Amino acid sequence: MRKRDSAKLKLENEYQSVISTFTRLGRDRDAGAAEKELALLLAGGVTPSIFNGQDLTGWTGLPSFWRVEERQIVGTTRPREIPQTNYFFTDLEYGDFEIGFKVRLVGADADSGFMFRGKVVDAKTCDMVGPQANLMHGGWCDMYMQGSKHVQKRSKTLKKVDQTKISPNSGDEAFNDVFVRCVGKNLTVKFNGTEVIDGVFSAIPEKGVIGFQLWPGGPYEIYLKDIVFKSL
């Protein structure tokens, strides 16, 4: 019981910090939404949804690149290619978790990624570092410790996925399923139901934000839907 109370107190402190930040920035709607989520958590231990399907509440990103459309998160580099990477990330940090989502890539050069336990290194450009699973043609779920020029840190390969053993759904209209579970340093990744990564990675941080990436290049788009998240 003491451990549960301690965890609940920690979560409450994290939420209060985010609420204070929203209030200071004049983001009253986001502050109100966070207060409602906190009340639900304290009352029944309900895991909050990280995406409400209606707007970008609870997330930070460059508005010219990220939007909500038909209950989907859409990242776009259109009408032209972009010169540098940027991320769309949660306002809250998470430790142990599991997440499932469907992703659709539009464009032959589509190059994105799912980052977890990430760290924002440049708020102006929304750049991040941290562990990341690729979301791209020919490199599905390859794992990296993503670097950034803002902290002079290069990317490092953690695990390459044998692309011959998976069956991506192809075409601009096709969605693929991604599942990621991370407990401590233990990481499991599934692609369209096939386990492609299962191991221990010492480089993974203890906690951080969750984000999706737009890599330089394009033009292309990424669509994300049916996001199911659980904090463990």
Side-chain angles (χ1 to χ4, degrees), residues 51-104:
F51 173 53
N52 64 21
Q54 300 177 356
D55 54 38
L56 302 181
T57 298
W59 294 76
T60 295
L62 301 176
S64 56
F65 296 108
W66 298 95
R67 68 182 189 274
V68 172
E69 181 180 293
E70 297 179 349
R71 301 188 65 81
Q72 301 172 90
I73 295 174
V74 183
T76 182
T77 68
R78 298 181 187 278
R80 60 185 68 86
E81 65 181 45
I82 58 175
Q84 62 185 22
T85 189
N86 74 77
Y87 285 85
F88 179 65
F89 53 90
T90 59
D91 294 325
L92 293 177
E93 292 187 334
Y94 300 93
D96 296 345
F97 73 95
E98 61 181 36
I99 187 172
F101 59 87
K102 296 181 183 296
V103 55
R104 176 164 72 98

Side-chain angles (χ1 to χ4, degrees), residues 129-146:
V129 296
Q132 177 170 299
N134 274 358
L135 305 175
M136 62 178 292
H137 303 299
W140 286 107
C141 297
D142 286 344
M143 282 297 307
Y144 294 89
M145 283 299 296
Q146 190 70 29

Side-chain angles (χ1 to χ4, degrees), residues 90-204:
T90 59
D91 294 325
L92 293 177
E93 292 187 334
Y94 300 93
D96 296 345
F97 73 95
E98 61 181 36
I99 187 172
F101 59 87
K102 296 181 183 296
V103 55
R104 176 164 72 98
L105 304 178
V106 180
D109 297 327
D111 191 344
S112 182
F114 167 71
M115 183 176 286
F116 57 96
R117 296 186 185 176
K119 178 182 179 181
V120 179
V121 293
D122 188 78
K124 184 177 180 180
T125 62
C126 291
D127 198 12
M128 296 170 59
V129 296
Q132 177 170 299
N134 274 358
L135 305 175
M136 62 178 292
H137 303 299
W140 286 107
C141 297
D142 286 344
M143 282 297 307
Y144 294 89
M145 283 299 296
Q146 190 70 29
S148 170
K149 66 179 182 180
H150 290 102
V151 290
Q152 297 182 343
K153 187 175 182 179
R154 294 185 177 182
S155 299
K156 179 182 178 181
T157 303
L158 293 181
K159 178 73 174 181
K160 285 278 192 177
V161 171
D162 186 349
Q163 300 294 312
T164 66
K165 294 184 177 180
I166 61 176
S167 300
N169 299 315
S170 59
D172 284 352
E173 299 301 319
F175 279 91
N176 287 280
D177 294 312
V178 176
F179 173 85
V180 179
R181 176 185 173 90
C182 189
V183 178
K185 306 290 186 179
N186 297 277
L187 176 66
T188 300
V189 181
K190 295 180 181 180
F191 180 76
N192 285 340
T194 299
E195 186 174 275
V196 292
I197 294 176
D198 185 34
V200 179
F201 299 89
S202 60
I204 294 178

